[in-house]
Amino acid sequence: KTMINNYAKNNLLPPPDKKKYSKEHVLMLIFIYYMKSILSISDIQHIMNPLCEKYFGKKDGLSLEDIYSEVFSLEHEETKNLMKDLAKKFNTAMKTFPEQTGEEAEQLRTFSLVCMLCFDVYIKKSIIEKIIDEEVYGSASKENITQIVYAEIEENKTLTVKLKASRQKLEAIEM
């Protein structure tokens, strides 16, 4: 309850009507819940405030409930895609460290899986932050988001090249 009150005080959530929260408040809280584990409160405000101002309490036309329904209707398909991706990453990780056996192999393969998942989350979080930071959110065209995604991919390719070069330098020093 304290956290919800803080959201209202910080303008992340509209204040309750006579100390009572509506269904729309609950919908806003669900969105906040999903976002707060990877985004800052400031980023969440940047995304949610325009939606709240335009759709919270709206009786005619598109409502917050309509937006919630549309966004979460994507969940089933996205869950199937996620399961396929997880299976692929798991299978890839199980093929790492073929020269190791037993408990050591299991530990290293688990570490490989965790690293792949962390990299995936890191890339997606970076893309989300860039979309928010560049205020593409307000005019989220396919072209703008595509540019951000490709820029992130290129940036990480550069990082990979730099890491390989650093590793080669370390190996040269060790010899």
Side-chain angles (χ1 to χ4, degrees):
K1 185 176 179 177
T2 302
M3 182 174 61
I4 294 170
N5 289 334
N6 284 338
Y7 289 159
K9 285 179 189 175
N10 292 316
N11 297 320
L12 190 56
L13 187 68
D17 185 29
K18 299 176 186 172
K19 296 189 178 191
K20 292 198 178 209
Y21 291 97
S22 67
K23 181 177 183 177
E24 288 184 312
H25 284 100
V26 174
L27 296 176
M28 291 285 292
L29 287 168
I30 292 169
F31 283 123
I32 293 167
Y33 172 79
Y34 278 104
M35 293 177 188
K36 74 177 187 172
S37 65
I38 58 168
L39 297 175
S40 69
I41 294 298
S42 174
D43 284 346
I44 296 171
Q45 283 174 318
H46 190 79
I47 292 171
M48 296 304 294
N49 284 351
L51 284 175
C52 188
E53 289 169 12
K54 193 168 183 177
Y55 302 106
F56 191 92
K58 189 173 180 185
K59 304 292 183 221
D60 300 331
L62 193 64
S63 69
L64 199 56
E65 188 171 352
D66 295 329
I67 293 168
Y68 172 86
S69 294
E70 181 76 21
V71 169
F72 283 96
S73 73
L74 305 171
E75 189 174 321
H76 178 71
E77 189 64 31
E78 193 57 30
T79 300
K80 288 192 318 188
N81 293 337
L82 178 63
M83 296 307 293
K84 288 177 188 174
D85 184 56
L86 285 172
K88 183 179 173 186
K89 284 179 172 54
F90 176 81
N91 290 330
T92 299
M94 293 305 107
K95 294 174 186 171
T96 61
F97 300 100
E99 66 282 353
Q100 306 305 315
T101 59
E103 190 176 311
E104 181 181 18
E106 285 183 36
Q107 185 180 32
L108 291 169
R109 290 173 185 146
T110 299
F111 180 73
S112 294
L113 178 61
V114 168
C115 287
M116 283 191 292
L117 293 172
C118 286
F119 182 71
D120 186 66
V121 170
Y122 167 77
I123 295 295
K124 289 175 181 175
K125 184 175 188 261
S126 295
I127 291 169
I128 292 166
E129 288 172 344
K130 285 182 180 173
I131 290 170
I132 294 167
D133 290 346
E134 295 182 21
E135 299 186 315
V136 172
Y137 177 76
S139 60
S141 71
K142 182 179 178 181
E143 292 79 23
N144 290 346
I145 292 175
T146 301
Q147 286 176 345
I148 288 172
V149 170
Y150 283 124
E152 189 63 31
I153 290 168
E154 288 304 315
E155 187 176 310
N156 282 287
K157 282 182 184 176
T158 303
L159 176 63
T160 302
V161 169
K162 288 179 182 177
L163 288 172
K164 284 181 181 177
S166 296
R167 186 176 65 216
Q168 288 171 344
K169 287 178 184 175
L170 284 173
E171 288 172 356
I173 292 169
E174 289 174 357
M175 292 180 163

